Amino acid sequence: MFEVTGRDGLARLGVLETRHGRVTTPALLPVVNPNRPIIPPRDLASRFGAQILITNAYILGKSALREPALQQGVHKLLDFPGAVMTDSGAFQSHVYGDVDVTNAQVIEFQKAMGSDLGTMLDLFSEPEHDHARARADVDETIRRAAEANGLKGEMALVGAVQGGIHEDLRERCAREVSALDISVAAIGGVVPLMESYRFRDLARVIVASKKGLDPSKPVHLFGAGHPLVFPLAALLGCDLFDSAAYAKYARDGRMLFPDGTRHAAELQDSGCLCPVCSGHSMAEIAKDTTLLAEHNLHVSFGAVREVRRAIASEELWELVERRSRAHPALLDALFELRRHNDFLEESEPLSRRGALYYVGPETAHRPILHRYRRRLEERYSAPPAKGLLVLPEGGRPFSERYRSVVERVLKEADVHAVVKSLWGPVPLELDHLWPNAQSVVPDRLDPEALEAAEVFFRGWAAGAGYPFGLLWEGESTLDELKVAAPGFRNVDWNLLRVRATADFQFGRGAADALLEGKVSYVVSKNTGKIRNVIVDGEHVLSLRAEDGLFTLKAAGARRLVKAFALPRLRVVVDPDAVPFHREGKNVFAKFVMDADPQLRPGDEVAVVSPEDDLCAVAQAAMNRREMLAFKRGVAAHVREGVPLPPSAPPR
Ligand code: GUN
Ligand code: ZN
């Protein structure tokens, strides 16, 4: 069983339960060659904190250790107290061309030696396999996955995803294999991509596979042993990695680092603080395979822990962008990701904790900013005016920085003010939305980022319907505006903010539904900012200071449910669960029957019965795909239960 305990986009923190204990994910599985372990498996547990390792059933089965493995079991044979995953020999068929076991034989052997996670014998799809050949690989892999599923008994099964670099085949293989009763879905056939630093293809393959995979299952990336790829792979939703690299590179005299590989003999100082590097001279390390392997493992485990920290603090995109500078091929992979923004965006939270830091010109293409720009086009209605005052990127919050300019202009020209920010256009009344106010960007902007800002701005402005836009360049601009848009604008900024935020957050038309009636505000004494929105005496919305978005109140949810048809803004729950939500209990994924496909983690939702009766207001923790797939975990955190009105007959 796999439980997700934290997330950052597609990346997650989780716990995988096995017959030999719980495994915290993302996890690194050191590869143990049973015939020549460099580091004793017991030490992997005690000195490196390994909760799980991986060894090869095919190699074991062909060696003199076959009988001892069957008699003692694989844990005793290796002397490892934690979980043991076994692989099947598919990789050996890639190396040697063929293997002389069947899928059924290798499954039976793994069962017999007590493997905690046993792998089917998949057909290794080489990157150069054309579509027809890769399709045959996939058909056979799916057939064997079903066969293994029938034979697995009590053993937790690892199903493999093949399909070479063909995205449609990857997605289909992933869908069909993960629909079986497998415990882990493993993305295979990628070692040749990693060995030749084809990280862009690797990213494409992982994304295509993730599109088909059941999101509730943990994902293993076969053969991912270099710390360089951990952040990227985790970002795309991989939970388990296996490393033979620590040993292979050690035999070759090479040291792993989070940013690449170096020859030990060429170093005077490793710059590393691991126990090996702290306790030995470089000369000693360079000639000792065991020391090299230990350093490599320390660095690899450290890199996985760094990924975990980044997920927990919702900073994994930042880590990936920074790390992509370590190798140009990683930068190519990062560039590839924007092609998949529509898919990646589905798992992005509504906002993140803390500020958004500019790392490079790629930052503007993160899926969360892609969504900002899309929602601006689809949901935001620009107020009528004779033209646009375009303000340049600069200090935030923009409304404070440009307050005096805007006040002066609006007295003499009928224009709407929009900032041409690096992330996309920011209408001034939306400048408080995360990350518009919570961004740290350099003073000096690079041309690529500026060019992108220009493209984003033009894309939006073309659809916004203003006859012209004029960039603020100082007093002369005011003179021009007076001529081009004579008049003035008296703006109720509070109302404009509330309306724009409501439409942006809940969809076009939400402001009309939420604010119909007499609107008043509760304003913060300290900041002068709106806290609560009251309509006809009912508290419908609260504005959050952290991300500038609304918390929905029951009265607000009632208005939205009336205005928008099912399933918009809804999570539909099993009738049996309704009374619990009315009392304020959380929504568990198991009881979700349907949900709005537009919902994202962090969104405010109306929890309704199948008859569309409102029973609670909640904050989604998952998107629809996840809510329908997970059998465990909270789908939405209930903020407020909605009791049955006393007069209504019980239903
Ligand atoms: N180890 C590395 N690549 C693979 C793969 O594609 N399949 C299996 N089963 N093991 C692997
Ligand atoms: Zn070291």
Side-chain angles (χ1 to χ4, degrees):
M1 255 308 199
F2 182 57
E3 189 160 7
V4 172
T5 58
R7 65 179 303 172
D8 184 3
L10 279 174
R12 49 253 183 121
L13 298 173
V15 177
L16 175 64
E17 279 188 37
T18 74
R19 287 185 295 193
H20 284 79
R22 295 152 70 89
V23 175
T24 306
T25 69
L28 176 65
L29 289 63
V31 173
V32 171
N33 182 333
N35 295 309
R36 47 168 187 171
I38 288 194
I39 298 167
R42 180 151 290 274
D43 288 5
L44 291 176
S46 62
R47 288 174 47 214
F48 295 87
Q51 295 172 316
I52 181 168
L53 59 72
I54 181 167
T55 191
N56 196 291
Y58 175 74
I59 295 174
L60 257 181
K62 288 188 65 87
S63 75
L65 292 171
R66 178 183 178 87
E67 286 313 313
L70 286 171
Q71 274 157 25
Q72 304 167 24
V74 68
H75 295 80
K76 199 140 179 233
L77 178 83
L78 297 178
D79 188 25
F80 185 69
V84 173
M85 172 169 161
T86 45
D87 199 358
S88 58
F91 186 67
Q92 284 64 34
S93 76
H94 153 74
V95 177
Y96 304 112
D98 202 6
V99 286
D100 52 1
V101 292
T102 65
N103 184 40
Q105 285 167 337
V106 82
I107 291 291
E108 288 305 335
F109 179 57
Q110 293 174 91
K111 274 164 70 178
M113 65 180 170
S115 172
D116 295 306
L117 287 164
T119 306
M120 61 175 287
L121 184 65
D122 44 324
L123 209 61
F124 198 101
S125 245
E126 302 289 346
E128 61 271 20
H129 285 186
D130 65 14
H131 195 274
R133 175 128 189 229
R135 190 172 62 206
D137 300 335
V138 164
D139 289 342
E140 178 62 7
T141 294
I142 292 169
R143 189 195 69 73
R144 292 188 194 175
E147 179 184 56
N149 190 41
L151 296 170
K152 72 180 188 301
E154 297 292 295
M155 182 177 70
L157 182 64
V158 179
V161 178
Q162 295 289 349
I165 57 170
H166 306 282
E167 291 170 272
D168 59 326
L169 297 177
R170 284 283 178 179
E171 185 173 340
R172 176 163 70 88
C173 191
R175 182 164 294 119
E176 299 206 17
V177 168
S178 72
L180 299 167
D181 184 24
I182 57 164
S183 299
V184 171
I187 299 174
V190 292
V191 169
L193 298 178
M194 288 187 277
E195 282 176 346
S196 50
Y197 286 73
R198 288 171 64 181
F199 297 140
R200 181 170 164 259
D201 284 329
L202 178 68
R204 282 180 48 224
V205 162
I206 299 174
V207 169
S209 306
K210 279 296 279 194
K211 282 185 182 166
L213 284 172
D214 176 341
S216 72
K217 294 192 174 169
V219 177
H220 183 103
L221 188 62
F222 265 131
H226 201 302
L228 206 54
V229 302
F230 296 165
L232 176 70
L235 182 79
L236 298 179
C238 298
D239 307 289
L240 305 168
F241 310 105
D242 64 273
S243 176
Y246 77 96
K248 275 196 207 157
Y249 283 79
R251 289 198 192 97
D252 203 20
R254 292 197 287 173
M255 298 174 86
L256 300 179
F257 297 93
D259 66 345
T261 314
R262 296 177 180 89
H263 278 282
E266 293 168 4
L267 300 180
Q268 299 200 337
D269 193 327
S270 70
C272 170
L273 283 174
C274 83
V276 173
C277 296
S278 305
H280 301 268
S281 71
M282 255 332 286
E284 278 177 281
I285 298 169
K287 60 177 196 289
D288 187 325
T289 305
T290 304
L291 289 179
L292 286 169
E294 289 185 358
H295 158 89
N296 288 346
L297 260 186
H298 281 299
V299 165
S300 302
F301 278 112
V304 171
R305 290 171 70 161
E306 182 183 38
V307 166
R308 287 196 213 144
R309 182 190 66 197
I311 298 172
S313 45
E314 304 185 334
E315 291 170 359
L316 190 56
W317 271 96
E318 231 169 275
L319 178 64
V320 168
E321 287 176 10
R322 299 222 157 96
R323 203 46 57 72
S324 72
R325 257 62 202 186
H327 197 291
L330 279 178
L331 202 53
D332 282 329
L334 184 61
F335 266 68
E336 172 69 16
L337 298 189
R338 67 183 74 158
R339 262 193 61 221
H340 308 280
N341 264 346
D342 283 336
F343 173 68
L344 297 175
E345 180 274 311
E346 288 176 21
S347 305
E348 284 290 297
L350 207 59
S351 61
R352 282 186 166 74
R353 257 173 283 149
L356 196 156
Y357 282 74
Y358 175 94
V359 179
E362 304 81 26
T363 305
H365 297 277
R366 284 189 201 171
I368 201 164
L369 296 172
H370 169 73
R371 171 167 72 213
Y372 169 75
R373 294 186 290 270
R374 206 181 59 201
R375 291 197 169 176
L376 199 67
E377 290 189 14
E378 291 175 357
R379 299 181 170 193
Y380 168 77
S381 305
K386 288 184 184 152
L388 267 183
L389 164 63
V390 185
L391 300 160
E393 169 72 71
R396 301 167 189 240
F398 297 128
S399 55
E400 278 171 36
R401 177 188 153 102
Y402 289 117
R403 184 189 310 273
S404 69
V405 169
V406 171
E407 274 175 9
R408 265 188 304 138
V409 170
L410 293 192
K411 277 189 191 129
E412 304 191 71
D414 178 10
V415 290
H416 185 46
V418 179
V419 181
K420 194 193 282 180
S421 98
L422 286 192
W423 309 151
V426 179
L428 213 54
E429 71 272 29
L430 286 178
D431 84 318
H432 59 295
L433 281 195
W434 193 94
N436 292 339
Q438 303 84 349
S439 290
V440 183
V441 303
D443 290 338
R444 211 183 132 275
L445 302 169
D446 59 276
E448 190 184 334
L450 286 171
E451 197 180 310
E454 191 63 42
V455 171
F456 300 150
F457 186 84
R458 287 187 185 193
W460 170 78
Y466 294 99
F468 75 92
L470 215 55
L471 185 70
W472 179 256
E473 288 174 314
E475 296 308 314
S476 61
T477 311
L478 180 54
D479 296 335
E480 289 179 62
L481 287 172
K482 278 194 263 187
V483 176
F488 67 95
R489 249 158 66 84
N490 224 336
V491 179
D492 177 347
W493 283 103
N494 276 343
L495 185 62
L496 201 61
R497 258 186 209 291
V498 168
R499 293 193 60 89
T501 308
D503 272 0
F504 186 88
Q505 185 172 355
F506 300 110
R508 209 169 257 171
D512 286 341
L514 286 162
L515 304 177
E516 194 194 327
K518 186 174 174 306
V519 179
S520 61
Y521 311 109
V522 175
V523 173
S524 158
K525 284 203 184 72
N526 291 332
T527 63
K529 289 189 177 146
I530 293 179
R531 301 250 56 126
N532 300 334
V533 181
I534 317 289
V535 184
D536 285 344
E538 287 185 319
H539 182 182
V540 293
L541 299 164
S542 300
L543 199 63
R544 300 195 291 256
E546 317 88 79
D547 62 4
L549 291 163
F550 286 123
T551 295
L552 189 60
K553 308 300 292 181
R558 240 179 251 118
R559 286 165 177 258
L560 289 176
V561 164
K562 219 166 105 190
F564 291 95
L566 201 73
R568 283 286 308 282
L569 303 169
R570 323 279 210 285
V571 172
V572 184
V573 294
D574 189 302
D576 290 347
V578 166
F580 296 97
H581 305 321
R582 289 199 185 279
E583 288 172 16
K585 300 268 186 343
N586 286 338
V587 179
F588 286 92
K590 202 165 47 175
F591 296 108
V592 173
M593 296 174 65
D594 198 5
D596 182 352
Q598 290 295 320
L599 286 185
R600 302 292 178 254
D603 255 326
E604 301 288 305
V605 293
V607 182
V608 300
S609 70
E611 292 81 30
D612 207 18
D613 287 328
L614 181 70
C615 55
V617 184
Q619 184 173 36
M622 301 176 174
N623 63 28
R624 175 177 185 270
R625 217 161 85 89
E626 294 161 342
M627 286 183 187
L628 297 180
F630 275 88
K631 300 281 170 283
R632 267 191 178 198
V634 174
H637 295 277
V638 169
R639 294 190 186 280
E640 199 181 340
V642 177
L644 270 177
S647 59
R651 59 191 304 167

PDB file of all heavy atoms in Angstrom, residues 255 270 272-274 276-277 295 299, ligand 2:
ATOM      1  N   MET A 255      33.807   9.503  -8.970  1.00  0.00           N
ATOM      2  CA  MET A 255      32.980   9.951  -7.847  1.00  0.00           C
ATOM      3  C   MET A 255      31.732  10.661  -8.355  1.00  0.00           C
ATOM      4  O   MET A 255      31.805  11.489  -9.268  1.00  0.00           O
ATOM      5  CB  MET A 255      33.773  10.905  -6.950  1.00  0.00           C
ATOM      6  CG  MET A 255      34.993  10.250  -6.315  1.00  0.00           C
ATOM      7  SD  MET A 255      35.985  11.457  -5.407  1.00  0.00           S
ATOM      8  CE  MET A 255      35.152  11.433  -3.817  1.00  0.00           C
ATOM      9  N   SER A 270      37.715  16.659  -2.694  1.00  0.00           N
ATOM     10  CA  SER A 270      36.410  16.341  -3.284  1.00  0.00           C
ATOM     11  C   SER A 270      35.400  17.442  -2.996  1.00  0.00           C
ATOM     12  O   SER A 270      34.374  17.523  -3.655  1.00  0.00           O
ATOM     13  CB  SER A 270      35.889  15.016  -2.728  1.00  0.00           C
ATOM     14  OG  SER A 270      35.526  15.173  -1.363  1.00  0.00           O
ATOM     15  N   CYS A 272      33.632  17.442  -0.479  1.00  0.00           N
ATOM     16  CA  CYS A 272      32.488  16.731   0.080  1.00  0.00           C
ATOM     17  C   CYS A 272      32.730  16.491   1.575  1.00  0.00           C
ATOM     18  O   CYS A 272      33.866  16.329   2.002  1.00  0.00           O
ATOM     19  CB  CYS A 272      32.328  15.406  -0.653  1.00  0.00           C
ATOM     20  SG  CYS A 272      31.154  14.271   0.091  1.00  0.00           S
ATOM     21  N   LEU A 273      31.642  16.509   2.334  1.00  0.00           N
ATOM     22  CA  LEU A 273      31.769  16.346   3.787  1.00  0.00           C
ATOM     23  C   LEU A 273      31.296  14.988   4.289  1.00  0.00           C
ATOM     24  O   LEU A 273      31.092  14.812   5.477  1.00  0.00           O
ATOM     25  CB  LEU A 273      30.960  17.444   4.489  1.00  0.00           C
ATOM     26  CG  LEU A 273      31.599  18.824   4.515  1.00  0.00           C
ATOM     27  CD1 LEU A 273      30.636  19.836   5.105  1.00  0.00           C
ATOM     28  CD2 LEU A 273      32.904  18.815   5.291  1.00  0.00           C
ATOM     29  N   CYS A 274      31.103  14.031   3.362  1.00  0.00           N
ATOM     30  CA  CYS A 274      30.615  12.722   3.799  1.00  0.00           C
ATOM     31  C   CYS A 274      31.673  12.060   4.692  1.00  0.00           C
ATOM     32  O   CYS A 274      32.833  12.474   4.707  1.00  0.00           O
ATOM     33  CB  CYS A 274      30.260  11.856   2.594  1.00  0.00           C
ATOM     34  SG  CYS A 274      31.649  10.993   1.846  1.00  0.00           S
ATOM     35  N   VAL A 276      33.382   9.466   4.404  1.00  0.00           N
ATOM     36  CA  VAL A 276      34.554   8.996   3.659  1.00  0.00           C
ATOM     37  C   VAL A 276      35.503  10.158   3.391  1.00  0.00           C
ATOM     38  O   VAL A 276      36.695  10.103   3.705  1.00  0.00           O
ATOM     39  CB  VAL A 276      34.123   8.343   2.320  1.00  0.00           C
ATOM     40  CG1 VAL A 276      35.353   8.023   1.469  1.00  0.00           C
ATOM     41  CG2 VAL A 276      33.302   7.089   2.582  1.00  0.00           C
ATOM     42  N   CYS A 277      34.945  11.215   2.837  1.00  0.00           N
ATOM     43  CA  CYS A 277      35.790  12.352   2.460  1.00  0.00           C
ATOM     44  C   CYS A 277      36.313  13.107   3.682  1.00  0.00           C
ATOM     45  O   CYS A 277      37.368  13.731   3.625  1.00  0.00           O
ATOM     46  CB  CYS A 277      35.024  13.295   1.529  1.00  0.00           C
ATOM     47  SG  CYS A 277      34.593  12.515  -0.037  1.00  0.00           S
ATOM     48  N   HIS A 295      31.399   6.779  -0.720  1.00  0.00           N
ATOM     49  CA  HIS A 295      31.165   8.201  -1.018  1.00  0.00           C
ATOM     50  C   HIS A 295      29.990   8.338  -1.998  1.00  0.00           C
ATOM     51  O   HIS A 295      29.088   9.150  -1.790  1.00  0.00           O
ATOM     52  CB  HIS A 295      32.420   8.859  -1.610  1.00  0.00           C
ATOM     53  CG  HIS A 295      32.116  10.101  -2.393  1.00  0.00           C
ATOM     54  ND1 HIS A 295      32.061  11.345  -1.818  1.00  0.00           N
ATOM     55  CD2 HIS A 295      31.768  10.261  -3.710  1.00  0.00           C
ATOM     56  CE1 HIS A 295      31.704  12.233  -2.747  1.00  0.00           C
ATOM     57  NE2 HIS A 295      31.522  11.592  -3.901  1.00  0.00           N
ATOM     58  N   VAL A 299      26.514  10.424  -1.293  1.00  0.00           N
ATOM     59  CA  VAL A 299      26.072  11.527  -2.154  1.00  0.00           C
ATOM     60  C   VAL A 299      24.689  11.211  -2.745  1.00  0.00           C
ATOM     61  O   VAL A 299      23.815  12.075  -2.806  1.00  0.00           O
ATOM     62  CB  VAL A 299      27.110  11.784  -3.268  1.00  0.00           C
ATOM     63  CG1 VAL A 299      26.531  12.655  -4.370  1.00  0.00           C
ATOM     64  CG2 VAL A 299      28.350  12.448  -2.666  1.00  0.00           C
TER      65      VAL A 299
HETATM   66 ZN    ZN B   2      32.318  12.224   0.042  1.00  0.00          ZN
END
